[in-house]
Amino acid sequence: MEPAEKPQDPPVSVTKTGPSVDTYQPQTITLAEFRSLTRNQQKKHMRHELWTSQAEEYKNKQRQRNKECRKRRNQRLAQEAAETGITAHQRKKQRLQAQVRSGHCIVLDMDFEDKMGEKEIKSVCSQVMRCYGANRMASKRVDLHVTQLHGKIRERFETAMDQHVGWSEDHIVMRDAEYIDMYDKDKLVYFTADSPNVIDVLDPEKIYIIGGIVDKNRYPRLTLDKAEAQGIGHAQLPIGKYIKLSTRKVMTVNQIFEMIVRFVDHGSWKTAFQDVIPLRKFKEGDIEANDDEDDDNENNNEEEE
């Protein structure tokens, strides 16, 4: 399986040290057309042109960075195999054999295709791949179900991601059905950052739902409104109790899933949050950077192949 595509952040020079709109010389429209735009439109147009001009260079740097991560990881695995006499494949097999079922159930609700473009659909599919990989690597796996898998999202899994047919149903089950028709309504709890309810423990009797959408904050309260309309429970993870963030508590699908799986594994929310939440979201001084973060991310990608 292809490694999950990493989010492509714009080059630093575009967002932090780029030119001012007052002195910018547009490349794809005339200066008069540029000046006729509103201030916000000028900024968006400038960022788009700068990103386009630097995108290939940035992608090349990312590829080189990933290549170096893979090289370091392979060297480490080779050294471990030489010292222990156990290959990476054997270690992976041993981990899967030792894995136990936690009894918790997580649902990925994919019923938001109409609110995403092609790139966002591609991204959310990659996030599902990461969820599968995280569940395989956990010492205590959860029952992971994907619901409302239809339309372009199903098509992508059946074509570009046709390798998913080999996925173990111990680690993921894909369905076109709606979760509201699959489970007792009283047991459903929708995870949403907009919920006023904060949970500290996971109830194995509950079915926890994660909204499968990449929306760039275009749809505030989307998942909360859906939960309230269906008359089911809703809650948010206790991130604010343990971690100070510099941005909103909105995470990707796989980040929320990985935090849950790590909590199930280790029983510590703080550890789960620190292990999964990207360092850029932390307030300065709240947590020290993990030197092995790049290698850990690469490990996740390798596991999903």
Side-chain angles (χ1 to χ4, degrees):
M1 180 171 297
E2 299 175 358
E5 179 178 312
K6 296 183 178 179
Q8 297 295 317
D9 294 329
V12 172
S13 59
V14 174
T15 58
K16 291 186 178 180
T17 60
S20 165
V21 292
D22 296 324
T23 59
Y24 183 69
Q25 297 294 319
Q27 304 298 313
T28 58
I29 61 176
T30 66
L31 183 59
E33 290 173 326
F34 183 73
R35 295 301 178 210
S36 68
L37 301 175
T38 65
R39 187 79 171 179
N40 283 338
Q41 289 173 334
Q42 288 177 355
K43 290 179 180 179
K44 289 181 180 180
H45 186 82
M46 180 183 70
R47 285 196 296 266
H48 175 72
E49 286 192 346
L50 289 172
W51 165 245
T52 301
S53 66
Q54 299 179 37
E56 192 58 35
E57 178 185 358
Y58 177 71
K59 289 178 181 178
N60 287 335
K61 289 182 179 179
Q62 288 291 92
R63 293 189 190 103
Q64 183 61 32
R65 177 174 173 270
N66 293 339
K67 183 178 179 180
E68 292 172 356
C69 286
R70 286 194 295 271
K71 182 178 179 180
R72 290 197 302 270
R73 178 178 184 271
N74 291 335
Q75 289 174 341
R76 185 174 69 249
L77 292 176
Q79 181 178 354
E80 291 176 357
E83 293 174 351
T84 64
I86 302 175
T87 66
H89 177 73
Q90 291 172 327
R91 187 168 59 252
K92 177 180 177 181
K93 186 176 180 180
Q94 290 175 351
R95 185 179 65 246
L96 288 175
Q97 290 175 339
Q99 188 183 61
V100 297
R101 181 173 173 268
S102 68
H104 293 284
C105 182
I106 306 296
V107 171
L108 305 184
D109 175 22
M110 309 302 290
D111 192 30
F112 301 103
E113 179 187 304
D114 60 328
K115 293 176 173 59
M116 294 185 287
E118 293 292 339
K119 290 184 178 180
E120 291 164 335
I121 288 176
K122 182 178 179 181
S123 178
V124 80
C125 289
S126 295
Q127 291 175 23
V128 173
M129 292 171 61
R130 286 180 176 271
C131 292
Y132 174 76
N135 208 25
R136 279 177 60 86
M137 294 182 69
S139 60
K140 300 176 183 177
R141 70 176 183 270
V142 303
D143 295 338
L144 175 60
H145 294 266
V146 180
T147 62
Q148 291 284 33
L149 189 70
H150 49 238
K152 292 182 179 180
I153 296 179
R154 172 177 284 278
E155 181 181 341
R156 178 162 179 78
F157 275 104
E158 291 178 347
T159 54
M161 295 181 173
D162 59 350
Q163 297 95 332
H164 88 276
V165 296
W167 286 358
S168 165
E169 289 200 352
D170 285 341
H171 301 99
I172 194 168
V173 177
M174 294 187 167
R175 308 177 180 218
D176 190 19
E178 168 68 273
Y179 57 80
I180 201 77
D181 300 323
M182 296 167 52
Y183 305 104
D184 185 342
K185 193 174 179 179
D186 294 335
K187 294 183 177 181
L188 296 173
V189 178
Y190 214 119
F191 278 129
T192 169
D194 296 309
S195 174
N197 308 318
V198 179
I199 64 168
D200 289 305
V201 296
L202 296 178
D203 184 349
E205 297 298 319
K206 298 290 186 180
I207 311 296
Y208 295 101
I209 307 161
I210 302 173
I213 182 172
V214 176
D215 68 348
K216 310 298 183 185
N217 293 326
R218 293 194 306 268
Y219 303 104
R221 288 182 53 93
L222 178 67
T223 49
L224 177 61
D225 288 343
K226 180 173 183 179
E228 290 180 341
Q230 291 179 327
I232 64 176
H234 50 78
Q236 62 169 287
L237 297 179
I239 298 175
K241 288 187 177 182
Y242 300 94
I243 299 294
K244 296 178 182 178
L245 298 180
S246 59
T247 60
R248 289 187 66 210
K249 293 178 289 187
V250 179
M251 306 291 169
T252 63
V253 174
N254 61 288
Q255 285 170 351
I256 297 215
F257 180 79
E258 288 173 28
M259 286 187 284
I260 293 171
V261 168
R262 296 206 184 197
F263 173 75
V264 170
D265 258 358
H266 307 296
S268 169
W269 281 120
K270 186 170 185 177
T271 298
F273 299 150
Q274 290 180 344
D275 286 349
V276 176
I277 298 175
L279 293 177
R280 66 179 181 275
K281 287 181 175 284
F282 288 99
K283 285 187 177 179
E284 186 175 354
D286 188 60
I287 182 174
E288 294 181 358
N290 182 355
D291 293 335
D292 296 326
E293 180 186 24
D294 290 341
D295 290 341
D296 290 342
N297 288 338
E298 192 60 39
N299 290 347
N300 290 340
N301 288 343
E302 292 291 337
E303 190 68 35
E304 293 160 5
E305 289 181 351

